Amino acid sequence: PDDVRLTKFGRLLRSTSLDELPEAFNILKGDMSVVGPRPQLVRDMVFFTDEQMKRQSVIPGLSGLAQISGRNGITWEEKIDFDLEYIKNITFINDCKIVFKTVWQAFVKQDGISQDGMDTAEDLGDYLLRCGKVSEKEYNDLQMKAKELIGV
């Protein structure tokens, strides 16, 4: 849980979005772009439908349409829908708008940075289980599949 693993300094970094700065190295290396769907953990991707997996067809980004549309204050379904909408309409102008809105929300407005009652976002599988959208067996099977995929 966040209250066990996050220190006061870690909470400060999260609240100011400064914990995202190391991602700049990934952008410089070419592993990430400035704008695009956020990179997803394997333990979340195993819960994606074929349609939702389409968000993986583009380079992940530091910020994206989902981040400026509510970030951690919106549901997983909304986040994924925003990501899919973004990849259908990738333009330089839209990317510029997303960058501007990201700066505004992260450093001026600071809205939606954390999820209610959490300093970070809830994993997709945990969300689906909590909402009754997957059974406990399906959840456990997919968590095991994720561990196999990453070699744990």
Side-chain angles (χ1 to χ4, degrees):
D2 289 341
D3 59 338
V4 173
R5 67 184 180 84
L6 282 177
T7 64
K8 286 183 182 179
F9 182 67
R11 278 183 177 51
L12 174 68
L13 287 176
R14 286 285 307 149
S15 69
T16 59
S17 295
L18 290 174
D19 61 323
E20 301 290 347
L21 279 178
E23 299 296 344
F25 294 109
N26 291 321
I27 292 169
L28 292 173
K29 285 184 357 184
D31 293 340
M32 284 183 73
S33 120
V34 174
V35 178
R38 291 289 293 160
Q40 214 56 62
L41 298 170
V42 172
R43 69 175 178 243
D44 290 331
M45 288 192 301
V46 295
F47 289 93
F48 282 0
T49 65
D50 289 342
E51 177 67 19
Q52 293 169 334
M53 280 300 287
K54 290 179 182 176
R55 71 179 297 287
Q56 303 303 109
S57 66
V58 297
I59 295 175
L62 179 62
S63 185
L65 190 56
Q67 283 64 46
I68 64 164
S69 301
R71 197 170 173 180
N72 292 331
I74 59 177
T75 66
W76 268 100
E77 290 88 355
E78 290 170 315
K79 286 179 194 181
I80 295 168
D81 287 346
F82 280 122
D83 289 341
L84 294 173
E85 181 182 331
Y86 170 77
I87 65 172
K88 290 177 186 173
N89 300 300
I90 297 174
T91 67
F92 179 72
I93 296 296
N94 284 345
D95 283 2
C96 289
K97 289 177 185 177
I98 290 171
V99 168
F100 175 76
K101 288 180 181 180
T102 298
V103 171
W104 174 259
Q105 288 187 338
F107 299 109
V108 179
K109 190 176 176 193
Q110 295 192 345
D111 190 29
I113 291 175
S114 58
Q115 192 171 357
D116 291 339
M118 300 178 76
D119 291 306
T120 58
E122 181 176 28
D123 288 344
L124 175 58
D126 295 343
Y127 165 80
L128 294 172
L129 181 64
R130 179 176 56 79
C131 294
K133 297 181 180 194
V134 296
S135 68
E136 195 162 333
K137 180 183 181 343
E138 184 178 10
Y139 172 86
N140 290 330
D141 289 348
L142 289 171
Q143 289 292 338
M144 187 62 68
K145 179 180 178 182
K147 288 179 182 179
E148 289 171 7
L149 288 170
I150 60 172
V152 174

